[in-house]
Amino acid sequence: MIGPYTPRPITPVGLWAVDGWRLKAYSITLPGAPLAADLEAGARAAAELLLRAGTEHETYGVGFVGIHQGRGFNQVFIDRWANRNELLHDVFVSDERRPGELRPAPPGHNSVCLWDLALQTFERDAWIATAMAHGGLEAYLARVLDAEV
């Protein structure tokens, strides 16, 4: 049985400045559960390693991070805008008992769930309405999601 849908809060964690990038960071948690500090620290460390590695794509120095503290395991996705209308998407996972020990997601990992997709949809719409409409990266960075979805 699939079971009923339970909304989860998506909360802004802040704007991270990482190696020349600015990333909107968000937590996605179970209702009433605070974000584990070591998971947030692990997410930032993963972002730093990823961004220092660089990419061959044309990028704009902006993107977002989803720190999803779930049941059984956690996943962190780091999304960067590139090539005008593309999203570079990298996923890291950790066990709930060791949340800060993130590692790249294995092949075949289900990297987008319903709550992650809500954040990605918001960020897609924000990108179109700001950066693509007016070239406004500051307007894009100022638009954040803070909701239960």
Side-chain angles (χ1 to χ4, degrees), residues 56-75:
E56 63 192 38
H57 298 279
E58 177 187 4
T59 60
Y60 310 98
V62 297
F64 58 97
V65 177
I67 308 167
H68 194 158
Q69 182 173 285
R71 281 195 181 91
F73 75 98
N74 309 297
Q75 66 183 24

Side-chain angles (χ1 to χ4, degrees), residues 7-54:
R8 293 184 183 180
I10 297 179
T11 308
V13 174
L15 184 63
W16 292 356
V18 178
D19 203 40
W21 285 80
R22 293 179 292 166
L23 303 172
K24 298 189 276 185
Y26 295 93
S27 67
I28 304 171
T29 59
L30 298 171
L35 178 62
D38 50 346
L39 178 56
E40 183 178 349
R44 188 170 184 110
E48 289 172 357
L49 284 173
L50 178 69
L51 296 174
R52 284 191 186 118

Side-chain angles (χ1 to χ4, degrees), residues 56-123:
E56 63 192 38
H57 298 279
E58 177 187 4
T59 60
Y60 310 98
V62 297
F64 58 97
V65 177
I67 308 167
H68 194 158
Q69 182 173 285
R71 281 195 181 91
F73 75 98
N74 309 297
Q75 66 183 24
V76 170
F77 52 94
I78 303 166
D79 288 356
R80 300 163 286 158
W81 291 108
N83 304 325
R84 191 172 182 275
N85 61 346
E86 295 177 2
L87 194 59
L88 303 177
H89 180 76
D90 290 276
V91 181
F92 298 83
V93 295
S94 69
D95 185 274
E96 71 179 343
R97 293 171 301 214
R98 292 184 295 281
E101 296 178 20
L102 290 160
R103 62 193 181 285
H109 178 77
N110 63 333
S111 63
V112 180
C113 73
L114 294 170
W115 299 281
D116 301 343
L117 190 57
L119 176 56
Q120 288 175 321
T121 299
F122 173 86
E123 289 295 326

